[in-house]
Amino acid sequence: MPKNKGKGGKNRKRGKNEADDEKRELVFKEDGQEYAQVLRMLGNGRCEAMCIDGTKRLCHIRGKMHKKVWIAAGDIILVGLRDYQDDKADVILKYMPDEARLLKAYGELPESTRLNEGIAGGIDDEDDGGGDDYLEFEDEDIDKI
């Protein structure tokens, strides 16, 4: 039988993320950075995001965050813009839901940004007034059956 020569198995690797749960300082955007909301995940460490300036960009999740910080559709992220490619960006930071609410309260995010939805602006509300998906029967109708 081979000897284990590493420093631990997968349970040790899982435990590394425990320190991120504590409160951290809110990071605001700097020059060359922009806030964005994830539209969809593409796989291979990439996602499609709608930036606050109105541009849809293909974002690459940096290696420090890859497989450590899980990003889903609807999350608010901070992206670093590229000088040489305007349609691509790099994910620098993912904001927790309470941090995203604080950003909106400080006026960093526009009021039209929807924070709690799974997909940001991708689905138009298609309410035609008849939002009920069930049928109502009266007692007389049930007796006839």
Side-chain angles (χ1 to χ4, degrees), residues 78-137:
L78 180 66
V79 296
L81 305 177
R82 297 182 179 180
D83 298 332
Y84 50 93
Q85 290 175 314
D86 191 46
D87 60 332
K88 292 188 179 180
D90 301 300
V91 178
I92 297 172
L93 179 74
K94 175 196 167 191
Y95 290 105
M96 299 295 155
D98 56 332
E99 293 172 329
R101 282 191 290 276
L102 280 173
L103 282 176
K104 195 169 182 179
Y106 287 145
E108 294 285 323
L109 298 176
E111 292 297 319
S112 62
T113 305
R114 296 190 284 172
L115 299 178
N116 297 336
E117 278 76 21
I119 298 174
I123 300 173
D124 293 325
D125 293 330
E126 299 177 9
D127 289 338
D128 297 329
D132 298 337
D133 289 339
Y134 57 89
L135 300 173
E136 291 185 21
F137 291 102

Side-chain angles (χ1 to χ4, degrees), residues 9-60:
K10 65 180 180 181
N11 288 334
R12 173 185 147 86
K13 290 178 182 143
R14 277 189 191 144
K16 284 186 180 178
N17 227 0
E18 302 275 337
D20 289 341
D21 291 341
E22 68 222 20
K23 286 279 190 182
R24 63 180 182 198
E25 189 175 327
L26 189 61
V27 179
F28 294 104
K29 72 174 182 176
E30 297 175 4
D31 193 34
Q33 296 176 347
E34 191 64 60
Y35 301 114
Q37 190 166 26
V38 178
L39 294 176
R40 61 188 178 134
M41 295 302 295
L42 300 173
N44 201 18
R46 296 174 302 145
C47 64
E48 187 177 286
M50 178 61 77
C51 293
I52 299 304
D53 60 5
T55 309
K56 190 183 287 188
R57 291 188 170 94
L58 180 72
C59 300
H60 179 263

